[in-house]
Amino acid sequence: MLMLTREDVQLGCHAADWRGALAQAAAALVDAGRVSAEYGEGLLAREAQSSTYLGKGIAIPHGTPESRRHVRSTGVRVLQFPEGVSWHDGSRVNLLVTIAAQSDEHLDILRQLTHVLDREGVAESLARATSPDEVIATLSRQPVTAKLDAQTLCLGLPVKDRWELALAAAARLRHAGCVDAGFVATIAGQPPVSLGQGLWLVVGTSGVRAPALALATPDKPLRDEAGDVAGVFCLAAQGEAHRSLLERLDGLLAHGEGARLLGLSAEAVLSRLAGESAQAQTARVRLLNAHGLHARPAQALVQVAREQTLPVRVRLLEGNGEAVSTTSLSKVLGLGARRGQTLVFSAEGEGAAQAVSALVDAVRGGLGEPVTPLNEASESVPVPLAPRKEPAAAPPVDEPLTAVPAAPGIAIAPAYVLRPPEFRYAERAQDAARERSRLDKALLGARQQLSAMVQRTVGNEVAQIMSIHLEMLGDPALKDPALEAIGEGASAEAGWWRSVETAARAQESLADRLLAERAADLRDVGRRVLGLLCGVELPTPPEHPYILVAEDVGPSDVARLDTALVRGLVTAKGGATSHSAILARALGIAAVAGAGEAVLALVSGVELIVDGELGRVVHAPSPTRRERTERRIQEQETRRQAAHARRHEEARTQDGHRVEVAANLGSTAHAADAVERGAEGVGLLRTEFVFMAHPQEPDLATQIAEYSKAFDALAGRPLVARTLDVGGDKPLSYWPMPQEDNPFLGLRGIRLTLTRPEVLETQLRALLTAAGTRPVRIMFPMVKDLEEFRAGKALFDKVQAQVRAADVQLGVMIEVPSCALLAPTLAKEADFFSIGTNDLTQYTLAIDRGHPQLSAQSDALHPGVLQLIRMTVEAAHAEGRWVGVCGELGSDPQAVPVLVGLGVDELSVSSRRVPLVKARVRELTLSRARELARLALQQPTAAAVREALENA
């Protein structure tokens, strides 16, 4: 991954020859403290092996494996030579991207640079650049890749006309995550345009998330009033990224292959769209190189290709289907092929078979590198589900089991214990015909199951997800490879799961986050069919209210919950700040986490009590306890109704102390709802949603329009916006991040945006412009000290001097312990603090909130965290600054008195919790809150804090 700062770029360099340029590059790395002086010899030795020239005026000098001992820290230095330098292979170089790598980090840089080489005029642009920012922008910009693969094909449909095919193709794009429902509606009102050869086209530009091309074909020759219909293409157009799709479509028509698409398999259709005619000689080969098709093996492949008597093209079977010339190094590198993926070579004409065979043999031979065979058991066909260990004994009846409070509320309902099934089957089978029949029967059964679920859940999110699964089930790209594997001797189970896992891994490798998330859906579909093949019944939630008990529940699982039936959630693992807990709070489901393995031994159907406020689970409660709990639930409902009735009133303690209560928002679309629920403003707007909703960086106008929605809905109430907070743990597809051992301690928040100041500057300008005369509070995330705040503030001051927003404050999000410890210095320059207790807890306790064993101990009521909050508040108030809490702690009923007592001025919580938090503040006096805060600070552990507060 190429991550550059201005200090990494040197402009206007001059050298008499390539050796002089290389010496300057080595000196730049030495001056930066990246390498010792001996590393320069490694650069020369590497050039002696083969040229590091990439193309388009760019070379990437890097040392040999032997010279890595001279590398002190991994880094990059970019040297611009405007007049150019004649390289030793005869190329003209304007830019040296010189790498000091302790292992194989340079391979990620190389993969990114190959995308740069595809753009026209890049050499001239880099040579003429007059600022480091121009060079960084050119090298770092990721291309938007248009999607055309087996997932965008729906073949052999029983339809009556081209209109139905157009809608089917649009629906396929929606199921693939490329477009939204608005796109489908646009296509529904658009007449398909004839392309000739029985092919038709519909095009849409609204509601496009990622450019893509879908094809729908009928199950038999079709003719309607307008003529023959062999298929309808549906194009999701966006910017210039879809042009390559149109070029491939044009190539198909030019070869007269259009009418022949009818009846072809998905693989054959993709082959034709890749420019491979029916007469083409093709061959597949798995790539065995440990680091994939990087520079050295790619160069070897290109050399073999250039020795052939006719052109050979290659495409990546798991990629977007585009075939490229094997004689173009940049194109071959741009495939990004990795170990285990399949290269498809094709050629036409006399000698085509020999040419294709020569390239296949070269790949099998390792392309100049030692290779090892793939271990199919571990690399290609993982065990579908690992065997479960036996759970501990069930907890005693009618005795409270202590867990971590995860989402407020109390529930009584039967337990539904979710246990993942185990699948046991033979890998091989003798009778291929029988195995094909078994697979067909299982696919039909799965289709019937899913169709019934869609009918039962019409109109809600579950129905939409099951509809997507239904589409996947009919995808030839899943069935065809399974049938091929069966023909080669695999059992129906092994062949099916191998196909599913291959498709899922291909999805996971996609840069687009939305598309990559489809891997989980593919595996869900796969397990459903596998269950039918193995005679294993998949767990099905009951159709009556229940409490879900599971080892852990991921965000996708929570999204599938039918909130009309789920009364509560109990997980054996996880903690109060795990993503499942956060989602449960947002959905209003009572939840506890970290209850331990014992809950997995519970029997489905037994009655449970879940107390999400105190963190208690009671198994088979007695009539007396049940009656007592029912009274509490009724009291809670009465309290909720009373809180709702007073939701628009201020939150004041009984002795008149006011605490503002605002809402945390993940989208501007929810701002109006927050106001209706009584929020006095937005205490945290997670602005990354604007960036994640687009396949490329949103421009100034897009951001202004999005932020304006929130300002309009707030009608003069303040909005606190957190600047872009992404990084290795939540990357953007068009801003890829390097693989980091611990992304939570890497390039995140302000650290990342300061490496691309133009991104941060655009966002600041958008926020200030959208605000106008309305109150806006902007805060930087992941600040560790005053230096980082000042760096961000310099950009802010520059933009504010031009925009002159009327009511603006600039603050710091307190998430890093050093920031809390240094609050007295920050408070002199920042206008406010907002404490993000989720990350502050994680960093203070050194516990990953998603850790399977430790996350239950990640409790923000830990006295260590409370001490940091106290220090922050005292430092801020000493300088006349205000302090908010925007983490999940702010909505914890036990924590609210402590936070008020510590002097927190604002609590920002999920919208649905606003009325209840206001009501909790009104129950207090400031003096009592201060007593409880002092009591909490005196405790040794988080558990002791909660116990002391419960008994106080």
Side-chain angles (χ1 to χ4, degrees), residues 291-343:
H291 299 296
L293 203 55
H294 63 94
R296 284 191 293 276
Q299 283 178 327
L301 182 66
V302 168
Q303 185 59 43
V304 174
R306 289 173 178 172
E307 293 170 357
Q308 306 310 309
T309 58
L310 43 73
V312 181
R313 297 172 67 80
V314 62
R315 59 186 169 92
L316 190 63
L317 185 64
E318 299 85 353
N320 68 355
E322 184 173 7
V324 301
S325 169
T326 53
T327 58
S328 169
L329 178 59
S330 64
K331 295 290 186 183
V332 171
L333 286 169
L335 292 173
R338 299 177 184 272
R339 175 177 166 84
Q341 292 187 313
T342 301
L343 299 174

Side-chain angles (χ1 to χ4, degrees), residues 121-136:
V122 68
E124 296 79 5
S125 174
L126 291 170
R128 292 196 306 265
T130 57
S131 74
D133 290 342
E134 288 182 57
V135 174
I136 292 170

